[in-house]
Amino acid sequence: MKKQTTIRDVARQAGVSVATASRVLNGRDVVNDATRRRVLEVMEDLRYTPSSAARNLSLGRTLTITVVTSFLTRPQAAERLRGIDASLADSQFDLVIYNVESIEKRNQYFRTLPLRQRTDGLIVVSLPPPEEDVARLEHSDVPIVFVDARQNTTTLPRVLGDDVAGGALAAEHLLDLGHRQIGFVGDAFENPFGFTSSKDRFAGFQQTLSRAGIKPISDHIAMGGHGRYEAHELAVVMLSRPSRPTAIFAASDTQALGVLAAAQDLGLHVPDDLSVIGYDDIEASDFVGLTTIRQQLFESGRAGAQLLMAEITERAPTPQMVVLEPHLVRRRTTASLEGGPREP
Amino acid sequence: MKKQTTIRDVARQAGVSVATASRVLNGRDVVNDATRRRVLEVMEDLRYTPSSAARNLSLGRTLTITVVTSFLTRPQAAERLRGIDASLADSQFDLVIYNVESIEKRNQYFRTLPLRQRTDGLIVVSLPPPEEDVARLEHSDVPIVFVDARQNTTTLPRVLGDDVAGGALAAEHLLDLGHRQIGFVGDAFENPFGFTSSKDRFAGFQQTLSRAGIKPISDHIAMGGHGRYEAHELAVVMLSRPSRPTAIFAASDTQALGVLAAAQDLGLHVPDDLSVIGYDDIEASDFVGLTTIRQQLFESGRAGAQLLMAEITERAPTPQMVVLEPHLVRRRTTASLEGGPREP
DNA sequence: CTGAAAGCGCTTACAG
DNA sequence: CTGAAAGCGCTTACAG
């Protein structure tokens, strides 16, 4: 660990003041051309690189954007992150990531992160803040943007998918195909993180069915953990009953994959014996030909980062909400009730 | 943007010097108990949070670990990242991420990152550094660890999977099942990033076949981009030839999924008409029952982070190499040549 | 146990 | 166009 070369070393070697060296470093145009060249040369020779800590302290900013997200490896989170990254790639900001997989971690971050002068902006992905932290977050010195984190009491800028509309889309598609006995497999509505997607998707779904005069059958509604295996088991139970549904809407593609596995176990052919539609459009869905409702994941990350950059550069709080519409992606796991795919 | 409250505000309000306030902040035990309590109380009241920039400058470190990775959303990268994150979660270090999807970005990062005093340590994931940067990286002030980045000329610490052994495992499995006509679908050996996994896996595979007295048939070797669709097309061509192989080893699970799709297109039943084995064991492989060679992705990230932390805390360069062994994961896409699965 | 003061490496208003 | 100097907010050896 040899001693760092500082701007002072550069200045001395180039025979100028540190002020001038700093000006060259920052590309200020007031510097004499010959001087500038000399300084740059010395920087090159000395392999000088500025200390970001010193610069940050002096400038009062960190040149850092922080993302708090959960379950980094879930395809949804990874894709959103990529959207954020893409949007920041050409900026001068670095991306700091906090991955949260427990309530304790979440609370810790929400409590310490926006307060510390550690970052110039915060993007919260898929983590609704606990009620008691909302006020603090709103009064934070640091601009904050929520992505896919439904929080009704806040006026902070946020990017949301319309889960209710997406659930409705799924129901419409199945209704159009002639289905009347339609099951639902999703996440438990109550969960420690306060995720609302399953609940909202179900709401849109249920509403649409009701409007079509279809009453909910409790045997056709199953809820559990957000995993393929949990969904698999739930679906096996549902599909083993005498009056099984002819179609199932799963609150996520991951769960839909579990439903497909259950159908296979039971010797039910998809889509002839059972139609299945998921939600998200993750990569695996394309692999297996799963019909699904696509969320704009990458887009949501990008939009969130852009909102944040606007807040940072304009220094004006611009509370707003961006809603990204879901779309139906038809593949091979849904079909008309009479058999054989049919255009709805 | 109200003015930040600093340690000086705390000191004044508590009636102590900033030195004492700082000692309380850092949990130094030399402080009088009553004083400590008073200071802590004031910090609470003022909602004081220390400036990391100032602290970093004063301490000469950044409390930051930087990860340079590529293709963040590929399941391999995401899982490795999670391993790193898990290992860092309880440390005081923050995780900064650079996602690289072009050669230009890669070069830029390799050139500027380890030089700047921006980070306390660097983990390079899946990105072999260009030859001309190796020397600089080796003499960097910042500890560096490579994960899954094969670089023969460096002595820097690194974590690697044994791709040659993995390729051999795949070949052995297929040989055990009685196959003799075995195809390969992988990435082009030459690629701008210098990825070597496909090449190494092929080497181990080919070696094992040779030892069994099987000569390579050029019609059974296909290489292209790292994508499901590219692999799909290559496999269709290979499987349409009169003398098609009875088994295919794909250099990645993603490509294996393409091969499975090709088989389906051609009406070939897997595993009766064709055995398929992949590499990686990504989540989707479990979904579709793909037999594959598992890499320890999460483990590799964790091991890399641990090596780095050791270097940072011990301040001693401890060049070493950790090799993670691949394992065969048998599922439903490989079977004995005679038909029907058989224990090898 | 506590305080005054120097120092970390930069930036920038103020003079010249 | 350039320099001397103050300041960003913290830490820590040095005295007491």
Side-chain angles (χ1 to χ4, degrees), chain B residues 186-206:
Chain B
D187 302 63
F189 293 168
E190 300 302 323
N191 61 74
F193 284 105
F195 297 143
T196 58
S197 61
S198 178
K199 188 176 182 175
D200 291 343
R201 290 165 196 175
F202 179 74
F205 167 77
Q206 190 59 60

Side-chain angles (χ1 to χ4, degrees), chain A residues 4 94 98 228-229 286-287, chain B residues 94 98 228-229 286-287:
Chain A
Q4 198 179 158
D94 285 344
Y98 290 95
R228 197 166 65 90
Y229 296 103
D286 188 21
F287 293 172
Chain B
D94 284 344
Y98 291 95
R228 199 166 65 91
Y229 296 104
D286 189 20
F287 293 171

Side-chain angles (χ1 to χ4, degrees), chain A residues 264-278:
Chain A
Q264 192 171 10
D265 281 3
L266 299 173
L268 293 173
H269 190 265
V270 173
D272 299 339
D273 304 325
L274 179 74
S275 281
V276 178
I277 182 169

Side-chain angles (χ1 to χ4, degrees), chain A residues 1-4 47 49-57 61-64 71-73 75 78-82 85 89-90 92-101 105 109 112 115-119 136 139-143 228-229 254 257 264 282-284 286-288 315 332, chain B residues 1-4 47 49-57 61-64 71-73 75 78-82 85 89-90 92-101 105 109 112 115-119 136 139-143 228-229 254 257 264 282-284 286-288 315 332:
Chain A
M1 223 60 160
K2 47 194 172 244
K3 215 157 102 282
Q4 198 179 158
R47 299 182 172 287
T49 49
S51 147
S52 53
R55 183 175 238 167
N56 291 343
L57 179 57
R61 11 176 249 174
T62 65
L63 289 183
T64 265
F71 305 106
L72 192 55
T73 44
E79 193 63 34
R80 287 201 166 95
L81 196 57
R82 226 185 99 234
D85 178 77
D90 292 322
Q92 48 184 347
F93 290 92
D94 285 344
L95 188 60
V96 178
I97 293 197
Y98 290 95
N99 183 38
V100 169
E101 306 204 347
K105 277 281 174 205
Y109 288 143
T112 62
L115 288 175
R116 301 203 175 212
Q117 299 312 44
R118 303 196 81 169
T119 191
R136 184 200 351 252
H139 294 114
S140 162
D141 301 340
V142 186
R228 197 166 65 90
Y229 296 103
T254 304
L257 292 167
Q264 192 171 10
I282 61 176
E283 206 180 5
D286 188 21
F287 293 172
V288 302
R315 305 243 146 217
R332 303 188 305 273
Chain B
M1 223 58 160
K2 47 192 173 242
K3 213 157 104 283
Q4 197 180 160
R47 298 181 175 288
T49 49
S51 148
S52 54
R55 184 174 238 168
N56 291 344
L57 180 56
R61 7 176 253 174
T62 65
L63 290 184
T64 266
F71 305 106
L72 193 55
T73 43
E79 193 62 34
R80 287 201 165 96
L81 196 57
R82 226 185 100 234
D85 179 77
D90 291 321
Q92 47 184 346
F93 290 92
D94 284 344
L95 188 61
V96 179
I97 293 198
Y98 291 95
N99 183 37
V100 169
E101 306 205 346
K105 276 281 175 206
Y109 287 143
T112 62
L115 288 176
R116 301 202 175 212
Q117 299 311 44
R118 305 195 80 168
T119 190
R136 183 200 352 253
H139 294 113
S140 163
D141 301 340
V142 186
R228 199 166 65 91
Y229 296 104
T254 305
L257 292 167
Q264 191 171 11
I282 62 176
E283 206 179 6
D286 189 20
F287 293 171
V288 302
R315 304 244 146 216
R332 303 188 305 274

Side-chain angles (χ1 to χ4, degrees), chain B residues 32-285:
Chain B
N32 176 302
D33 231 43
T35 315
R36 141 166 297 121
R37 262 195 296 274
R38 190 148 34 91
V39 172
L40 285 174
E41 208 169 300
V42 172
M43 286 182 173
E44 188 88 357
D45 286 357
L46 264 45
R47 298 181 175 288
Y48 166 73
T49 49
S51 148
S52 54
R55 184 174 238 168
N56 291 344
L57 180 56
S58 197
L59 254 36
R61 7 176 253 174
T62 65
L63 290 184
T64 266
I65 298 294
T66 302
V67 173
V68 186
T69 183
S70 58
F71 305 106
L72 193 55
T73 43
R74 289 194 186 161
Q76 296 93 323
E79 193 62 34
R80 287 201 165 96
L81 196 57
R82 226 185 100 234
I84 293 171
D85 179 77
S87 180
L88 256 41
D90 291 321
S91 79
Q92 47 184 346
F93 290 92
D94 284 344
L95 188 61
V96 179
I97 293 198
Y98 291 95
N99 183 37
V100 169
E101 306 205 346
S102 73
I103 295 291
E104 295 72 42
K105 276 281 175 206
R106 180 200 63 180
N107 291 344
Q108 178 195 328
Y109 287 143
F110 276 142
R111 232 165 287 145
T112 62
L113 242 145
L115 288 176
R116 301 202 175 212
Q117 299 311 44
R118 305 195 80 168
T119 190
D120 292 342
L122 190 64
I123 303 181
V124 179
V125 178
S126 300
L127 277 175
E131 201 62 50
E132 60 268 31
D133 286 326
V134 172
R136 183 200 352 253
L137 295 179
E138 281 184 344
H139 294 113
S140 163
D141 301 340
V142 186
I144 303 182
V145 169
F146 290 97
V147 173
D148 183 46
R150 203 160 286 275
Q151 224 305 325
N152 295 317
T153 63
T154 189
T155 57
L156 288 167
R158 52 206 191 283
V159 179
L160 292 169
D162 191 338
D163 286 320
V164 175
L169 274 181
E172 279 159 23
H173 175 58
L174 296 174
L175 287 172
D176 284 346
L177 290 171
H179 294 278
R180 290 295 175 270
Q181 318 269 15
I182 306 180
F184 174 82
V185 174
D187 302 63
F189 293 168
E190 300 302 323
N191 61 74
F193 284 105
F195 297 143
T196 58
S197 61
S198 178
K199 188 176 182 175
D200 291 343
R201 290 165 196 175
F202 179 74
F205 167 77
Q206 190 59 60
Q207 246 168 50
T208 304
L209 292 190
S210 291
R211 270 196 214 114
I214 297 176
K215 298 217 178 59
I217 300 177
S218 68
D219 276 0
H220 290 177
I221 299 173
M223 274 147 351
H226 180 97
R228 199 166 65 91
Y229 296 104
E230 287 91 332
H232 184 152
E233 286 175 24
L234 292 174
V236 164
V237 172
M238 187 187 300
L239 293 170
S240 301
R241 294 219 174 85
S243 69
R244 60 174 180 78
T246 63
I248 290 183
F249 169 41
S252 71
D253 284 355
T254 305
Q255 287 158 318
L257 292 167
V259 174
L260 290 178
Q264 191 171 11
D265 281 2
L266 299 172
L268 293 173
H269 190 266
V270 173
D272 300 338
D273 303 325
L274 179 75
S275 282
V276 178
I277 182 169
Y279 205 108
D280 284 338
D281 197 27
I282 62 176
E283 206 179 6
S285 306

Side-chain angles (χ1 to χ4, degrees), chain A residues 203-242:
Chain A
F205 166 79
Q206 190 58 61
Q207 246 170 50
T208 304
L209 292 190
S210 292
R211 270 195 216 114
I214 297 176
K215 298 215 176 60
I217 300 176
S218 69
D219 277 359
H220 291 178
I221 298 173
M223 272 146 353
H226 179 97
R228 197 166 65 90
Y229 296 103
E230 288 90 332
H232 184 152
E233 286 175 24
L234 292 173
V236 164
V237 172
M238 186 187 300
L239 293 170
S240 300
R241 295 217 173 85

